[in-house]
Amino acid sequence: MRLTSGSPRPILPAFLAFTVAAFLPQLSSGAAPFPQDLEPISIVGRETSYLYPSFQGLMSDNDTIRLGLDFQRMLRINHMLYIAARSDECYNYIKVLVPRNDETLFACGTNAFNPTCRNYKMSTLEQEGEEVVGQARCPFESRQSNVGLFAGGDFYSATMTDFLASDAVIYRSLGESSAVLRTVKYDSKWLREPHFLHAIEYGNYVYFFFSEIAVEYTTLGKVVFSRVARVCKNDNGGSPRVLERYWTSFLKARLNCSVPGDSFFYFDVLQSLTNVLQINHRPAVLGVFTTQANRTKKLICMKVLL
Ligand SMILES: *[C@@H]1O[C@H](CO)[C@@H](O)[C@H](O)[C@H]1NC(C)=O
Ligand SMILES: *[C@@H]1O[C@H](CO)[C@@H](O)[C@H](O)[C@H]1NC(C)=O
Ligand SMILES: *[C@@H]1O[C@H](CO)[C@@H](O)[C@H](O)[C@H]1NC(C)=O
């Protein structure tokens, strides 16, 4: 499906079907409704990988020995690799590590269930300015999912805003002139138990990729669907009468990664996604999807973005 450009469309998360071009392995003639598992192109064993240097952390640190480093985020900027792990103090899991501008990194940690954010100078890792409250920008707990990025000076985040993960949010804040906006609270048409995977700035939009419990199929119990949601960067929220402080450009659609057969076979659980690539001179993102029940079956799908 083409996500139409132009003026922001009003409100209402629309459930729009996607057409996804899938790279399908050849189906054996007749029976198998499933594509065969692809053979890996090459496999590297433990013996080989041991030959390369690896970062083990401070082995004098008892917590590192006991718990491992527990890497949370990695970020490569030019020739520098920034690694966010769990720091000792009250188990502060660094869940956000993104560039804010050319000189500054923005990092947020769970901070013993009290999420907090700071800015750091990229070159020296010195703290810059004051700490910022991390709620709605960083999860409370390491197992809660989140994504975040800066676009045009605003921080776009998708995460849970509370310890119990009952309030999921797609949120914009920290901009100098734009309004702070969020998705409507406790409304399952906007978000329902989402698992956030990726966010991308592209053109006038920010896209969020996630899986969530489908609201379309309530009779079948909990079914996971994968989605892309889109907001306009120039969204300023609604009026005091309707959607004040909420997105007015929020749209979402199901990602349809499926194999034709007697009936369509769906790979509904998005596991991973690339940034925007050029494929045949068209902007595209590639995603890896698995099945619902048995997540060992994988398929790679392609979605053309514009
Ligand atoms: C998914 O895509 C296929 C192929 O384009 C289409 O036939 C099918 O109806 C789509 N499914 C949904 C739920 O939109
Ligand atoms: C680390 O563990 C060793 C051995 O159990 C102990 O002697 C030492 O005091 C511990 N260090 C810290 C800083 O807790
Ligand atoms: C899931 O798939 C794997 C590999 O194909 C298979 O060995 C396993 O039995 C399956 N499990 C279930 C619950 O279907």
Side-chain angles (χ1 to χ4, degrees):
M1 191 211 78
R2 273 156 196 268
L3 292 172
T4 28
S5 52
S7 57
R9 272 202 255 162
I11 340 172
L12 298 180
F15 297 108
L16 305 169
F18 265 77
T19 307
V20 176
F23 295 125
L24 300 180
Q26 209 65 40
L27 290 173
S28 56
S29 57
F34 247 111
Q36 296 302 305
D37 281 344
L38 297 171
E39 292 295 324
I41 294 166
S42 114
I43 300 173
V44 174
R46 220 175 150 78
E47 318 78 53
T48 318
S49 59
Y50 264 138
L51 300 175
Y52 295 93
S54 62
F55 177 62
Q56 310 276 342
L58 292 174
M59 293 318 276
S60 57
D61 174 42
N62 286 355
D63 276 334
T64 302
I65 294 167
R66 197 162 54 87
L67 301 163
L69 270 180
D70 214 345
F71 294 128
Q72 300 289 319
R73 287 285 184 277
M74 285 194 204
L75 175 68
R76 201 184 78 183
I77 299 174
N78 302 326
H79 297 294
M80 198 74 95
L81 180 67
Y82 297 92
I83 298 173
R86 180 205 54 245
S87 56
D88 304 352
E89 208 178 330
C90 276
Y91 299 154
N92 186 17
Y93 292 85
I94 307 300
K95 301 291 286 179
V96 174
L97 180 67
V98 292
R100 185 165 190 159
N101 53 42
D102 289 346
E103 282 134 41
T104 312
L105 283 177
F106 183 70
C108 307
T110 54
N111 191 33
F113 313 114
N114 178 26
T116 304
C117 304
R118 286 182 186 168
N119 296 297
Y120 289 94
K121 230 188 189 82
M122 252 181 221
S123 51
T124 59
L125 292 184
E126 266 175 289
Q127 188 182 337
E128 279 185 340
E130 298 292 307
E131 281 186 354
V132 184
V133 172
Q135 193 183 20
R137 301 179 181 123
C138 172
F140 275 66
E141 221 228 301
S142 69
R143 277 166 302 179
Q144 294 177 358
S145 68
N146 70 293
V147 294
L149 58 77
F150 275 91
D154 292 302
F155 185 59
Y156 293 79
S157 51
T159 188
M160 313 299 153
T161 72
D162 57 357
F163 177 66
L164 296 173
S166 56
D167 178 31
V169 73
I170 290 181
Y171 188 64
R172 183 181 74 190
S173 63
L174 304 178
E176 284 190 356
S177 50
S178 36
V180 172
L181 297 179
R182 59 161 295 161
T183 44
V184 171
K185 211 170 183 173
Y186 307 129
D187 184 335
S188 60
K189 286 199 297 302
W190 290 65
L191 295 168
R192 184 174 176 201
E193 296 175 48
H195 180 83
F196 298 109
L197 269 159
H198 203 53
I200 292 174
E201 177 193 9
Y202 192 81
N204 297 323
Y205 309 108
V206 177
Y207 296 87
F208 295 88
F209 293 86
F210 55 100
S211 53
E212 67 173 348
I213 305 299
V215 287
E216 298 96 315
Y217 288 93
T218 44
T219 48
L220 299 171
K222 284 192 172 184
V223 178
V224 176
F225 276 4
S226 289
R227 312 271 195 206
V228 56
R230 190 189 75 179
V231 294
C232 292
K233 289 193 280 188
N234 66 4
D235 192 339
N236 273 320
S239 66
R241 271 162 170 261
V242 61
L243 290 177
E244 189 182 17
R245 291 192 289 273
Y246 296 116
W247 298 107
T248 58
S249 61
F250 183 87
L251 279 178
K252 71 175 179 180
R254 179 180 175 187
L255 294 170
N256 177 353
C257 176
S258 55
V259 188
D262 290 344
S263 63
F264 272 88
F265 192 94
Y266 288 96
F267 293 78
D268 272 324
V269 190
L270 181 61
Q271 301 285 352
S272 183
L273 201 84
T274 65
N275 281 322
V276 178
L277 310 169
Q278 292 294 325
I279 294 177
N280 298 330
H281 310 292
R282 297 198 60 185
V285 292
L286 296 181
V288 177
F289 295 77
T290 59
T291 50
Q292 301 270 341
N294 192 337
R295 301 191 171 191
T296 60
K297 293 289 181 191
K298 295 185 177 60
L299 192 68
I300 297 176
C301 276
M302 186 179 86
K303 169 74 191 82
V304 176
L305 259 186
L306 281 172

